[in-house]
Amino acid sequence: MAVLITCHLSLATATAQGFLKWEADSVPLFKGVAVGVDLAGAAQQLLGDYGQLEAMVRVNLHDQYFPTLEVGLGKAKHDDDLVTGITYHTSAPYFRLGADVNLMKKKHTGNRIYVGLRYGFTSYKVDISREPFADPVWGWSTSYGVQGERCSQHWAEVLFGIDAKVFGPLHLGWSARYRRRIAHNDGITEKTWYVPGYGVQESTRLGYTFNLLIDI
């Protein structure tokens, strides 16, 4: 009986060691840095009345964890809105800081599916004006204007993205993002229309990026 118990214990120990044994990965922890630009924001600015020029730096840790810094310049030049008659101008830098996690089982192929988090901040000034209009109560002509009103905003983003290796060090990727304001100061405007790096506040909280990246 003692011999049988000893055999069972030895077998169980060997099996447990087989499952728990950590196998060394020959891929180093630090795999380099990637730099990139967001093409979607640039297209928005080129084709519409708001958008951003954005660059990013992404650190590759073991092809699984990717600390990321995104910096950009957001602009809006919306003149004489057809409905409200309001003109809105702003231009300011912003940044987002966070990290992504690669969900691919074969993480060293260069192709990635990832989820991530971001913290964003911007401090910006807005110029808002409205052409003279008839007061709905008294009937006389009135106007509205704000020049250089200082505003700021903190926000968080949760994102899902795909990154594909094209050839050599070149990658293309996109991300879909859900954004949520954490704290904000809109000055006397109560609620600004466009926030650099965040987008139009009256639209959905969903955003997206289309990135061109190069591994270094």
Side-chain angles (χ1 to χ4, degrees):
M1 179 65 71
V3 174
L4 184 60
I5 293 175
T6 301
C7 290
H8 277 292
L9 288 175
S10 299
L11 180 60
T13 301
T15 303
Q17 288 177 345
F19 279 111
L20 298 176
K21 183 180 179 181
W22 181 80
E23 295 183 359
D25 194 328
S26 60
V27 175
L29 174 64
F30 179 71
K31 287 292 300 297
V33 175
V35 295
V37 294
D38 172 29
L39 302 180
Q44 276 184 323
Q45 184 170 313
L46 181 64
L47 301 175
D49 50 9
Y50 66 89
Q52 57 273 343
L53 300 176
E54 180 177 303
M56 64 183 297
V57 178
R58 175 185 288 172
V59 179
N60 184 343
L61 300 180
H62 201 61
D63 286 329
Q64 186 166 14
Y65 304 104
F66 299 87
T68 302
L69 173 65
E70 299 164 340
V71 295
L73 179 67
K75 294 183 178 182
K77 188 177 181 182
H78 186 71
D79 293 322
D80 194 15
D81 186 88
L82 294 177
V83 177
T84 64
I86 292 177
T87 293
Y88 184 99
H89 293 174
T90 187
S91 177
Y94 64 88
F95 77 87
R96 305 188 205 98
L97 181 64
D100 302 327
V101 179
N102 184 9
L103 303 180
M104 294 279 287
K105 185 176 181 181
K106 296 182 179 179
K107 56 182 179 287
H108 301 309
T109 63
N111 300 314
R112 300 153 191 154
I113 298 175
Y114 56 87
V115 295
L117 295 173
R118 297 286 189 277
Y119 159 75
F121 174 77
T122 185
S123 177
Y124 58 106
K125 292 181 180 180
V126 296
D127 297 333
I128 305 174
S129 61
R130 182 175 181 181
E131 294 296 325
F133 61 97
D135 185 280
V137 177
W138 304 105
W140 56 54
S141 179
T142 185
S143 61
Y144 172 81
V146 172
Q147 295 294 318
E149 182 68 13
R150 174 68 69 180
C151 306
S152 63
Q153 182 161 300
H154 305 255
W155 72 93
E157 298 181 1
V158 179
L159 63 90
F160 172 84
I162 293 177
D163 189 43
K165 184 175 181 179
V166 180
F167 62 87
L170 181 64
H171 289 251
L172 289 176
W174 64 266
S175 70
R177 305 179 178 218
Y178 175 79
R179 297 165 174 160
R180 185 88 179 191
R181 293 202 299 179
I182 300 173
H184 59 95
N185 174 19
D186 292 331
I188 64 173
T189 67
E190 296 184 0
K191 186 175 183 180
T192 52
W193 174 64
Y194 169 84
V195 177
Y198 182 88
V200 176
Q201 300 205 65
E202 294 180 355
S203 63
T204 67
R205 292 193 177 104
L206 296 179
Y208 61 91
T209 62
F210 182 71
N211 298 316
L212 172 66
L213 301 106
I214 298 176
D215 288 328
I216 299 176

